[in-house]
Amino acid sequence: MKTFLFSLLIALTIISCSTPAGNGLQDLSATDFQSALQTSPAKQVLDVRTPEEFAGGHIAGAISADISSEAFQQTAEALDKNKAIYVYCLSGGRSSQAAQQLVSMGFKEVYNLGGGILAWNAASLPLSTDSGAPSQQAGMTLTAFETQIKGKKRVIIDYNATWCGPCKQLSPILEAYVKDQKGAVELIKIDVDANPELAKAKNIEAIPYLELYQNGKLTWKNVGLIGREELDKL
């Protein structure tokens, strides 16, 4: 009996740690997000990126509602709070913030795309443009990237985006580090918004993301903000 009760307690603990605490908010993988949209009777989908990002390619049926502007609040207030609402951004950060706001506004059922459009692209799911046609791949290709780093002794690749707070924090750290190497290391910065084809090819689902190549070979990578101490260990 004690063994059973102990097992039940462990199971309940696991469930409580992996499921939102009854606030109606749930993160979904890209494939689950798409499946939910396909079966949802009322598709209320908010793209909380900037209008420029939205125009470059968005999930079909989504409404542009930039989380950094008044458009988000105004657009959300016009929607049905008793019906499911789906929200996403580029990598999941802004949409997580938006999802919390939607819950506080009274929406009963909120679904956030974990990993955002980066995860959506990595899963090879379709995007649309304002005209309804499939979005065009843009920016650097994987082949062009490989050509760019070929022959370089040591190069750090910094994958970032202009809206990404941690990316902005990391930038001066990287620049100072590379400067102190006195030419031994080169820094290449790549905006994932401007290079969606490359981000998809490399399965980049979160930024900032760093790679270190030595003589054309990937020898180290890191996701998230990193300090000077960690860089010095390289």
Side-chain angles (χ1 to χ4, degrees), residues 97-117:
Q97 176 189 350
Q100 293 289 351
Q101 288 191 36
L102 291 169
V103 170
S104 67
M105 291 169 64
F107 283 87
K108 304 295 189 298
E109 198 175 345
V110 182
Y111 296 99
N112 176 48
L113 173 56
I117 288 297

Side-chain angles (χ1 to χ4, degrees), residues 8 10 14 25-26 34 37 41 45 47 51 76 80 84 147-148 150 158 166 183 198 210 212 219 224 227:
L8 179 60
I10 293 296
I14 292 173
L25 171 58
Q26 184 176 352
Q34 184 195 44
L37 290 179
V45 189
D47 182 323
D80 190 338
T147 300
Q148 186 170 349
K150 185 177 181 180
D158 171 21
L198 180 61
L210 300 177
L212 172 65
T219 58

Side-chain angles (χ1 to χ4, degrees), residues 140-142 145-146 148-149 152-160 170 174 177-178 185-190 192 198-224 226 231 234:
M140 189 185 305
T141 64
L142 182 59
F145 169 80
E146 292 172 343
Q148 186 170 349
I149 64 170
K152 296 183 184 296
K153 187 174 182 180
R154 296 183 74 212
V155 57
I156 292 178
I157 312 297
D158 171 21
Y159 299 92
N160 60 80
L170 180 59
L174 289 173
Y177 169 76
V178 170
V185 182
E186 182 178 342
L187 175 64
I188 297 178
K189 297 184 177 183
I190 296 178
V192 293
L198 180 61
K200 178 181 178 180
K202 291 181 136 311
N203 294 315
I204 297 175
E205 298 185 9
I207 51 174
Y209 171 59
L210 300 177
E211 291 180 334
L212 172 65
Y213 285 86
Q214 300 191 76
N215 298 316
K217 294 183 178 180
L218 178 63
T219 58
W220 174 87
K221 58 185 177 180
N222 180 81
V223 179
I226 188 172
L231 289 172
L234 296 178

Side-chain angles (χ1 to χ4, degrees), residues 130-143:
D130 290 333
S131 64
S135 62
Q136 298 297 315
Q137 297 290 359
M140 189 185 305
T141 64
L142 182 59
T143 300

Side-chain angles (χ1 to χ4, degrees), residues 49 53-61 120 126-135:
R49 301 175 299 164
E53 290 176 278
F54 180 87
H58 54 268
I59 295 175
W120 185 273
L127 289 177
S128 295
T129 61
D130 290 333
S131 64
S135 62

Side-chain angles (χ1 to χ4, degrees), residues 32-133:
D32 287 343
F33 195 86
Q34 184 195 44
S35 296
L37 290 179
Q38 291 175 338
T39 58
S40 176
K43 296 179 178 64
Q44 298 188 128
V45 189
L46 292 184
D47 182 323
V48 300
R49 301 175 299 164
T50 64
E52 291 76 19
E53 290 176 278
F54 180 87
H58 54 268
I59 295 175
I63 302 170
S64 179
D66 187 352
I67 185 64
S68 64
S69 72
E70 295 181 359
F72 173 76
Q73 189 81 15
Q74 295 171 350
T75 302
E77 287 290 358
L79 299 176
D80 190 338
K81 296 179 181 179
N82 294 312
K83 294 180 180 179
I85 186 167
Y86 301 83
V87 60
Y88 69 90
C89 63
L90 179 66
S91 63
R94 286 174 289 178
S95 60
S96 292
Q97 176 189 350
Q100 293 289 351
Q101 288 191 36
L102 291 169
V103 170
S104 67
M105 291 169 64
F107 283 87
K108 304 295 189 298
E109 198 175 345
V110 182
Y111 296 99
N112 176 48
L113 173 56
I117 288 297
L118 289 177
W120 185 273
N121 285 338
S124 298
L125 298 175
L127 289 177
S128 295
T129 61
D130 290 333
S131 64

